[in-house]
């Protein structure tokens, strides 16, 4: 989708969000983190900082990082 519409298109952002969520639930936060990070950066570039989707992406990335930190230490 990103090749067709670009990294900040709503369909691309929704797909990244779905992928990060699925990986987080099924494979763990380490697998989801790169996608959650890419989602957060793309949302910040495309939307206003107080957008609900930016906040969702931020929480998703924070959850991945927090769970990885808890697992390692």
């Amino acid at each position: 989708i990103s090749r067709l519409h670009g990294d900040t298109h709503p369909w691309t952002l929704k797909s990244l969000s779905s992928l990060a969520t699925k990986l987080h639930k099924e494979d763990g936060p380490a697998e989801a983190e790169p996608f959650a990070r890419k989602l957060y950066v793309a949302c910040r570039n495309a939307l206003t900082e107080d957008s609900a989707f930016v906040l969702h992406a931020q929480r998703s990335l924070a959850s991945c990082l927090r769970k990885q930190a808890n697992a390692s230490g």
Side-chain angles (χ1 to χ4, degrees), residues 2-73:
S2 67
R3 279 187 258 163
L4 182 61
H5 296 291
D7 288 341
T8 58
H9 189 277
W11 293 350
T12 302
L13 299 177
K14 179 62 179 158
S15 295
L16 270 175
S17 177
S18 296
L19 180 58
T21 299
K22 181 176 175 49
L23 287 172
H24 194 262
K25 289 179 182 177
E26 294 181 7
D27 298 327
E31 297 295 324
E33 185 206 337
F35 299 100
R37 186 174 301 279
K38 184 174 181 174
L39 173 65
Y40 177 63
V41 169
C43 285
R44 292 273 320 258
N45 289 334
L47 306 167
T48 61
E49 196 165 322
D50 62 346
S51 164
F53 207 75
V54 173
L55 298 175
H56 165 77
Q58 185 179 39
R59 283 191 304 270
S60 177
L61 177 57
S63 176
C64 289
L65 296 173
R66 186 174 40 254
K67 288 184 179 181
Q68 287 181 77
N70 289 343
S72 67

